[in-house]
Amino acid sequence: MEHRAPLLVPRRQKKARQQMQERQNAMTPGTRVMTQFGVFGTIVSIDREANRAVIEVAPKTEITVHLGAVTTVLDDNGQVPGTPEAARAAAAQGES
């Protein structure tokens, strides 16, 4: 007998798509982000119709990526939210 979970996978995919859409809607020029490839930078411009974002990765160095590649909006300390590094940075900032 074959066991299936017919509703779990589509729900997870729908939730993941919804979360991605919310993150992308929150992005504006000046937002610090990370791409799915681990590239960190700051949003310079977004063309939602063309699904492209221009990201400054170093002073005067910009790359253009597909919006779908921008997967993480960084916290105020430039860290990936929910990671140990983010917790340490937040604690260190609170001590200052």
Side-chain angles (χ1 to χ4, degrees):
M1 185 167 149
E2 191 174 324
H3 180 267
R4 294 184 187 194
L7 297 177
L8 295 180
V9 174
R11 281 187 188 168
R12 287 184 195 146
Q13 290 173 345
K14 182 178 180 183
K15 185 175 181 179
R17 277 193 304 269
Q18 182 180 7
Q19 289 174 337
M20 175 68 79
Q21 188 64 45
E22 289 171 1
R23 283 192 298 267
Q24 288 179 353
N25 289 339
M27 289 186 285
T28 59
T31 303
R32 300 248 323 127
V33 297
M34 181 179 77
T35 69
Q36 67 186 22
F37 308 109
V39 177
F40 289 81
T42 303
I43 298 281
V44 174
S45 65
I46 297 174
D47 183 347
R48 295 191 193 282
E49 290 181 16
N51 283 320
R52 293 183 185 171
V54 176
I55 302 174
E56 183 177 52
V57 294
K60 298 183 180 181
T61 304
E62 298 176 352
I63 60 173
T64 301
V65 298
H66 188 278
L67 265 179
V70 182
T71 56
T72 307
V73 174
L74 302 176
D75 66 15
D76 293 337
N77 296 315
Q79 300 295 322
V80 176
T83 62
E85 292 82 7
R88 282 193 292 274
Q93 187 177 28
E95 294 172 3
S96 303

